[in-house]
Amino acid sequence: MIGALRAAGCVFAEEEAAILVEAADDSTALARLVRRRVDGEPLEYIVGWVEFAGRRVGVDPGVFVPRRRSELLVREALVALRGMAEPLVVDLCCGCGAIGLAVAAASGARLCAADVDPAAVLCAERNLAAVGGRVFLGDLFDALPARLRGRVDLLIANAPYVPTAAIPLMPPEAREHEPPVALDGGTDGADVLRRVIAGAPGWLRAGGVLLVELGESQIASITEAFVAAGLVPRIVRDDELGALAALAALARRPDPPPPARIN
């Protein structure tokens, strides 16, 4: 089995073999699972979960699989929320909800999440039920209840940021199995991120933080977008995770609204 997985290009063949053995009821089922993996189906779809930030998170076929590098967003989010009592967190482009789940579980935050993909919303609803999270279907801020405007303590967005021309160069697991809407960030990869950044100040409270993941090639354009929105970003890099994030706090709001209710 390990040899077959390795021959199919599975870099962590031993670890994947152990996961498949755990998932299989018997040798016949194991053979079927191994065949699916050798044929190129993502391991996470086969077993129905992904390891993220120290927990197993359910992930359905066709839903974006969170990458380990996005744990940088979780780490920075928890720093930003330190000392807050029941902060309000919004996770845009939430996918299966892994980032919001990790943040809410560790911080006690009230959580709202949103995604444009109905399959992702269904998956996230199951995952976020454990922390009382609400999940909404729609395009970025259009999905959110208007009552949250100006009240968000932390807005996280792991928006798609792969340049369109780079999609065919991605591993087959991603380009053939994950939804294009979760990958394609437009010509320079920053189209969706720019929309998130432009809209964020209207939803953040005074002192609220916007936190996004980005690629190396987007640093200049994303910095420009932050500045245009009245925010000065700080770029955070984790070389071990191979991850980049940008974050900034909203300096002030003229008339802060009362605390939000999300239920």
Side-chain angles (χ1 to χ4, degrees), residues 15-24 30 33-34 36-37 41-51 56-61:
E15 291 88 341
E16 292 198 12
I19 291 171
L20 292 172
V21 168
E22 178 188 344
L30 177 60
L33 298 183
V34 171
R36 290 170 63 185
R37 185 67 185 112
E41 188 173 349
L43 177 68
E44 295 82 5
Y45 293 168
I46 295 170
V47 300
W49 57 268
V50 59
E51 181 81 21
R56 290 185 177 184
V57 182
V59 60
D60 296 336

Side-chain angles (χ1 to χ4, degrees), residues 188-221:
D188 66 351
D191 284 358
V192 183
L193 283 167
R194 277 190 285 265
R195 291 174 57 211
V196 170
I197 295 165
W203 295 84
L204 293 171
R205 67 160 179 81
V209 174
L210 170 62
L211 173 62
V212 303
E213 183 171 306
L214 69 158
E216 193 78 38
S217 65
Q218 281 103 36
I219 291 177
S221 60

Side-chain angles (χ1 to χ4, degrees), residues 9-78:
C10 300
V11 177
F12 303 104
E14 290 83 358
E15 291 88 341
E16 292 198 12
I19 291 171
L20 292 172
V21 168
E22 178 188 344
D25 294 328
D26 52 40
S27 60
T28 301
L30 177 60
R32 286 198 299 267
L33 298 183
V34 171
R35 173 48 54 191
R36 290 170 63 185
R37 185 67 185 112
V38 168
D39 287 345
E41 188 173 349
L43 177 68
E44 295 82 5
Y45 293 168
I46 295 170
V47 300
W49 57 268
V50 59
E51 181 81 21
F52 184 82
R55 67 177 63 234
R56 290 185 177 184
V57 182
V59 60
D60 296 336
V63 175
F64 179 78
V65 178
R67 280 40 165 180
R68 183 168 175 260
R69 60 176 172 267
S70 296
E71 292 179 7
L72 174 61
L73 293 180
V74 175
R75 189 177 74 201
E76 291 299 321
L78 294 178

Side-chain angles (χ1 to χ4, degrees), residues 93-94 114-121 136-140 143 181-182:
C93 306
C94 68
D115 202 285
V116 73
D117 181 3
V121 168
F136 302 94
L137 173 65
D139 182 27
L140 300 181
V181 71

Side-chain angles (χ1 to χ4, degrees), residues 112-250:
C112 286
D115 202 285
V116 73
D117 181 3
V121 168
L122 289 174
C123 186
E125 283 177 338
R126 294 197 304 273
N127 287 325
L128 299 184
V131 292
R134 298 284 306 281
V135 189
F136 302 94
L137 173 65
D139 182 27
L140 300 181
F141 301 104
D142 290 345
L144 300 177
R147 65 183 178 273
L148 300 187
R149 281 187 172 274
R151 295 164 170 159
V152 178
D153 293 290
L154 175 67
L155 175 62
I156 309 169
N158 185 19
Y161 60 86
V162 180
T164 303
I167 299 291
L169 306 178
M170 296 185 72
E173 289 181 350
R175 70 173 188 265
E176 295 177 4
H177 294 273
E178 293 182 316
V181 71
L183 304 173
D184 194 338
T187 302
D188 66 351
D191 284 358
V192 183
L193 283 167
R194 277 190 285 265
R195 291 174 57 211
V196 170
I197 295 165
W203 295 84
L204 293 171
R205 67 160 179 81
V209 174
L210 170 62
L211 173 62
V212 303
E213 183 171 306
L214 69 158
E216 193 78 38
S217 65
Q218 281 103 36
I219 291 177
S221 60
I222 291 308
T223 298
E224 181 180 339
F226 267 88
V227 172
L231 304 167
V232 180
R234 176 169 59 92
I235 304 296
V236 180
R237 185 187 304 269
D238 187 314
D239 292 331
E240 182 179 348
L241 292 175
L244 280 172
L247 68 158
L250 183 66

Side-chain angles (χ1 to χ4, degrees), residues 77-87 107 205:
L78 294 178
V79 171
L81 295 174
R82 190 175 295 156
M84 294 187 191
E86 295 188 340
S107 68
R205 67 160 179 81

